[in-house]
Amino acid sequence: MSTDLSQSDPDTEANQSAEIVQTDLQDGESVRSAAHSEDGTSSVGAGGHSSHNTDVQRDSRSTGRRTPGTGEDHAGCVSPTDRDGAAGGQHRQPTGGSSGGTAPSVATEEEDEGPEEEEEGLRERQTGQRDAPLEEENQGVRHGWVTKGLTGKPQTHASDAPTLCYITAPLGVTKVMTCDLVNGLSSLMVSDLEELVSSVLRLKLPDNTKCSFPITVAIPFRSCYRGNYRDIIVKFVDQASRVSYVNPVSVEGNYDGQKGSYAEVRVYTLGVFAVVSCLRKESYTIPKRGLSLKLSIDPRICLDYLPGSFASPVMAQAVVQPVDPSLLSALKSNKDAYQAVLSASPLLYLSRPSSQPPRRPLVLTLPCPPNPERRRPGEDGESGPPRPTSAVYIQDSPLQQRMRAVSASVKTSREFAKEQLILLGWKEEQWNVLDDVSIRNLQNGLVSFELMEHFERLIVLRLQFPTRSSNLCAMVEEIEDSVRRVMVTIVLRRQRQDPHSVVVAALPSRDLSWELAKLQGQAYCGPPDPSGEIAMSEGDQLLLSFNGNITADQGSKSPKTITFHNQRKSFEYLKLTVVDPFGNYSSPHYKGLAVFHRIPRVQLLWMDNTAVLSPQHPLVEPVCKLSLTLPKLCEEEAALLLLALRVKRSAVQLARLRAPAHSLPQQAFHVLGLWRRSLPSHTPKAPLLARCLVRAGRPDLAKELLLREGAGGGGGGEGGAG
């Protein structure tokens, strides 16, 4: 779709825009040439990011289980764990003129200045004047540049369309640049442990249009979860299917008078953009003199590299994946073999070059919560039942406080002695229990241990009693899989006043009650009831098809697709229709079935603007089936039909007794049955019923009834209407 096109003659407008773009390009080149002559620096070219794509696979092993954020959605995808390298080509280094944002200082005491000092001061002032345009350029404030919102629709219809993004570019570029909404690719814009938080956009320029890069793109997003563990980053796929990650210049902005969350990035080429939330990666350098580092992700995690650990400085990275206690509870409830596990530390992912083995052990400190059942009333400094709020507090003597502290310490030590701490590490493509590593209990639920070998992943488990190593390894594997999955409930709701209008959504189970209340406020209600819980990963799809006498979109048999995103609610609004209006003659409702098949993200392929199922992966058994019903007559039509049939009042009262008081269509069904039985057996019933249907405002049903009767469809006309 083309956006923001002028209403004037297209050829004239295109020529004018091309001239403006060419002028802006020449101005930009002259400014950049001046910057090169003054500072000796140059900006990164449009393809500057592609050189980093080959580096991202250097540290990632070809393992059966991928590290957080690694893995490719399609050919050419770069692993997010190396996004800093890939994003490096997208950042332009500031020129010397804007360093510090201040001009060189000039002497204020003129009586002390000699000829050389005056000449030097004049030279510095001239340099500062030449650097001023460069500073404005680096700040995105360029002559002839404007900020414009792109809606994805032509300018004539842009007033009622939402703004997809804002661009800051030369005036001519903003006139011809288009922005398309391509949410059909959302499954392929996320990888492991990434979550989509914005729409998926494609920015394009007409062929042979030149643009003075970089330009600024601001993409609105909404993130439900902000914290130390996750970062907001812009994912970009160019026309050659190369993936890059761009760190936003800012994540807050004010556009068109609306303040909100906008991921603002400077780009050097165009393609498909999306804002994702991913695990934060902390990079650091280990010098030869050693390093003691508390991770900013989680200050409780400490890495102590002793002096002489490496012969030369080493670059390393750390990623932390928290493990929710509810996840452990769910795993323990499913398998009795996991009952020994009380708590777990976060999953710690460490990466560094393997060419330099460590010479001295690494000391790590991780949080591993104590037994949540150990703290009971009376063990936290108070004895007996909780004290009422109105009671007077009497301070204990120092001796009593000391005796209580010693008693609590002894009890805690005894309980700790019953527990066992086990360290597991990932090496050579599998999890291993490190029995030879001694783990020490520290205060505040912290544990400490030393490692001489390098492990890519580490986790500490607190056990209530000993168990098999194979059970622990299997549980950690399930923990890794579970943090990538979310329990989802499929909901299908129909509009109260129009049962044919329905909404379908795959919602996180934790938000089910809240989302159902919102749908209830929008006049959407059941049946059917929500489905059971289904485990889905970010970007997985649900393929919706219909069976029975109900379908969607005027009998179209093409399945509908619903993409699951943990932080974006995807609602599919459908219009249900009936395949055979005279079917289900023995029921007051039309009957059908909504069938859902789950398609994992890894089985999808990039095709144009849509992610489609790979031919190599056929559909498996459906994960959910929901029963559907549609009334055969709406309430207004049923009321008119009752008047047209001219049945006795006693028959209507009997129908009301047989059917619910609030269901007029069911009452009409019973009235039709009584009406048929009240007629003589030799009387043709189809013409009479057709005449009543016309009076009730359904000539379409009357016409089809007569056609069926003429074609030998039988005389059970009341089945079609009822």
Side-chain angles (χ1 to χ4, degrees):
M1 292 183 293
S2 177
T3 64
D4 300 322
L5 298 179
S6 176
Q7 299 180 0
S8 60
D9 183 67
D11 297 334
T12 306
E13 180 67 23
N15 294 335
Q16 294 176 354
S17 300
E19 293 177 359
I20 296 175
V21 172
Q22 187 66 27
T23 304
D24 293 331
L25 180 62
Q26 294 174 357
D27 295 340
E29 291 176 350
S30 62
V31 172
R32 283 195 296 274
S33 62
H36 295 168
S37 62
E38 290 294 333
D39 304 312
T41 60
S42 61
S43 61
V44 182
H49 63 87
S50 61
S51 62
H52 298 270
N53 293 335
T54 57
D55 299 334
V56 293
Q57 305 296 341
R58 190 168 300 164
D59 295 333
S60 59
R61 316 294 194 272
S62 299
T63 62
R65 308 181 63 80
R66 295 172 292 185
T67 55
T70 60
E72 298 182 357
D73 291 328
H74 53 85
C77 282
V78 176
S79 68
T81 53
D82 297 291
R83 61 182 180 270
D84 291 344
Q90 291 284 356
H91 290 283
R92 180 178 183 181
Q93 298 296 331
T95 59
S98 61
S99 176
T102 58
S105 59
V106 181
T108 56
E109 298 182 2
E110 298 181 358
E111 61 273 10
D112 295 335
E113 293 183 354
E116 297 181 357
E117 288 80 359
E118 293 180 359
E119 183 178 356
E120 181 67 23
L122 178 60
R123 201 161 41 240
E124 290 179 352
R125 286 192 295 270
Q126 292 175 349
T127 303
Q129 293 175 358
R130 287 195 300 268
D131 287 346
L134 297 178
E135 182 177 353
E136 292 182 355
E137 177 182 357
N138 290 327
Q139 295 176 355
V141 183
R142 306 185 187 181
H143 179 68
W145 285 46
V146 296
T147 299
K148 184 178 182 181
L150 301 182
T151 61
K153 290 187 177 182
Q155 185 177 1
T156 54
H157 303 90
S159 58
D160 57 347
T163 301
L164 301 180
C165 70
Y166 293 87
I167 61 170
T168 302
L171 177 61
V173 172
T174 60
K175 287 186 176 181
V176 296
M177 181 175 289
T178 60
C179 179
D180 296 335
L181 189 66
V182 287
N183 282 334
L185 295 173
S186 64
S187 294
L188 302 179
M189 292 302 292
V190 291
S191 55
D192 289 345
L193 297 176
E194 293 179 353
E195 296 180 354
L196 187 72
V197 294
S198 76
S199 300
V200 183
L201 312 176
R202 184 193 297 275
L203 292 177
K204 295 186 299 183
L205 279 174
D207 295 338
N208 302 324
T209 302
K210 296 182 180 180
C211 179
S212 178
F213 287 104
I215 64 173
T216 300
V217 180
I219 305 174
F221 70 94
R222 176 177 294 181
S223 178
C224 303
Y225 310 103
R226 296 280 190 94
N228 291 335
Y229 294 103
R230 303 194 74 86
D231 264 338
I232 295 296
I233 200 166
V234 176
K235 195 170 186 178
F236 165 68
V237 182
D238 63 9
Q239 296 180 355
S241 297
R242 292 173 299 193
V243 177
S244 300
Y245 291 84
V246 188
N247 290 316
V249 177
S250 67
V251 293
E252 301 288 339
N254 194 327
Y255 291 90
D256 286 343
Q258 298 292 330
K259 186 177 180 180
S261 298
Y262 297 88
E264 181 181 320
V265 291
R266 295 188 178 97
V267 298
Y268 292 81
T269 185
L270 302 180
V272 179
F273 296 84
V275 185
V276 298
S277 172
C278 57
L279 286 180
R280 178 173 297 176
K281 180 178 62 177
E282 187 162 339
S283 302
Y284 55 94
T285 302
I286 308 170
K288 292 191 294 183
R289 66 177 181 274
L291 175 67
S292 180
L293 174 67
K294 287 187 177 181
L295 298 182
S296 61
I297 304 173
D298 190 341
R300 299 173 300 173
I301 301 177
C302 184
L303 309 176
D304 287 324
Y305 295 90
L306 301 178
S309 295
F310 298 97
S312 60
V314 172
M315 294 290 297
Q317 294 172 343
V319 177
V320 179
Q321 169 62 59
V323 178
D324 195 274
S326 61
L327 188 149
L328 292 180
S329 301
L331 294 178
K332 290 169 62 177
S333 63
N334 293 333
K335 290 188 179 180
D336 294 336
Y338 301 157
Q339 294 299 322
V341 179
L342 295 175
S343 61
S345 72
L347 280 162
L348 178 62
Y349 297 83
L350 298 175
S351 61
R352 61 171 177 78
S354 58
S355 58
Q356 295 193 38
R359 297 181 176 183
R360 302 192 65 182
L362 166 64
V363 181
L364 293 99
T365 302
L366 295 177
C368 187
N371 184 1
E373 299 179 357
R374 188 192 315 126
R375 292 179 63 89
R376 299 183 179 91
E379 294 184 5
D380 55 354
E382 294 185 1
S383 58
R387 181 185 291 111
T389 55
S390 59
V392 178
Y393 177 75
I394 302 176
Q395 186 175 5
D396 295 333
S397 65
L399 179 59
Q400 290 175 324
Q401 294 177 357
R402 183 176 179 182
M403 292 177 62
R404 183 183 296 111
V406 171
S407 175
S409 177
V410 171
K411 182 179 291 187
T412 303
S413 301
R414 290 175 181 174
E415 292 174 347
F416 273 131
K418 298 178 182 178
E419 299 174 358
Q420 184 181 4
L421 293 170
I422 296 295
L423 174 65
L424 291 92
W426 172 272
K427 195 173 185 180
E428 298 178 353
E429 303 183 8
Q430 64 179 359
W431 283 100
N432 300 285
V433 176
L434 308 181
D435 295 322
D436 55 341
V437 177
S438 177
I439 307 177
R440 299 182 300 275
N441 261 311
L442 305 179
Q443 294 180 349
N444 301 325
L446 300 179
V447 297
S448 178
F449 54 91
E450 295 183 358
L451 279 181
M452 191 63 194
E453 296 182 77
H454 173 67
F455 291 89
E456 299 174 359
R457 314 174 197 176
L458 295 168
I459 188 173
V460 177
L461 299 180
R462 189 183 296 272
L463 306 182
Q464 189 174 10
F465 51 84
T467 186
R468 293 182 180 180
S469 299
S470 57
N471 294 338
L472 299 179
C473 294
M475 184 175 188
V476 174
E477 288 182 359
E478 289 200 36
I479 289 176
E480 275 200 303
D481 290 337
S482 298
V483 296
R484 295 182 174 91
R485 298 197 306 266
V486 178
M487 301 311 294
V488 176
T489 302
I490 300 176
V491 173
L492 190 150
R493 286 289 184 265
R494 58 186 184 183
Q495 203 170 47
R496 185 178 293 109
Q497 301 299 329
D498 183 11
H500 291 258
S501 298
V502 299
V503 58
V504 187
L507 304 172
S509 299
R510 63 176 182 271
D511 303 334
L512 182 60
S513 58
W514 171 256
E515 295 296 337
L516 288 180
K518 289 173 58 178
L519 291 175
Q520 185 77 17
Q522 299 172 8
Y524 283 97
C525 57
D529 293 332
S531 70
E533 291 188 334
I534 303 170
M536 295 187 67
S537 299
E538 178 77 7
D540 287 355
Q541 288 187 354
L542 286 172
L543 210 62
L544 169 60
S545 58
F546 294 91
N547 290 338
N549 201 22
I550 296 177
T551 186
D553 294 342
Q554 274 56 17
S556 174
K557 295 297 182 181
S558 59
K560 305 296 178 183
T561 300
I562 301 173
T563 305
F564 171 72
H565 293 291
N566 191 27
Q567 298 195 47
R568 285 179 62 84
K569 304 302 184 294
S570 177
F571 294 93
E572 188 75 20
Y573 294 89
L574 303 175
K575 194 76 173 179
L576 298 183
T577 58
V578 178
V579 178
D580 182 7
F582 294 90
N584 307 120
Y585 62 88
S586 61
S587 172
H589 300 283
Y590 297 116
K591 297 180 179 180
L593 203 64
V595 182
F596 297 86
H597 291 82
R598 187 178 75 90
I599 303 178
R601 172 177 48 82
V602 295
Q603 298 181 5
L604 297 172
L605 295 177
W606 188 302
M607 181 174 291
D608 296 330
N609 292 334
T610 310
V612 297
L613 177 64
S614 170
Q616 301 176 357
H617 300 88
L619 286 177
V620 295
E621 290 295 322
V623 295
C624 174
K625 295 180 180 179
L626 297 180
S627 299
L628 301 177
T629 59
L630 286 177
K632 294 184 175 180
L633 288 169
C634 67
E635 295 188 1
E636 293 80 3
E637 294 169 348
L640 293 175
L641 181 61
L642 292 178
L643 294 176
L645 291 175
R646 296 180 180 178
V647 295
K648 295 181 180 180
R649 182 177 300 178
S650 59
V652 176
Q653 293 176 349
L654 182 61
R656 289 176 178 175
L657 292 176
R658 292 182 178 180
H662 63 275
S663 178
L664 196 56
Q666 291 191 28
Q667 296 178 15
F669 174 77
H670 292 294
V671 168
L672 283 172
L674 295 173
W675 171 79
R676 180 188 179 186
R677 287 191 291 271
S678 66
L679 294 176
S681 58
H682 62 276
T683 303
K685 302 174 182 59
L688 292 177
L689 182 58
R691 190 179 306 168
C692 294
L693 289 173
V694 171
R695 294 175 181 173
R698 293 302 303 269
D700 54 336
L701 278 180
K703 181 179 180 181
E704 189 166 351
L705 175 63
L706 294 177
L707 290 176
R708 286 201 168 208
E709 184 70 15
E718 73 280 359

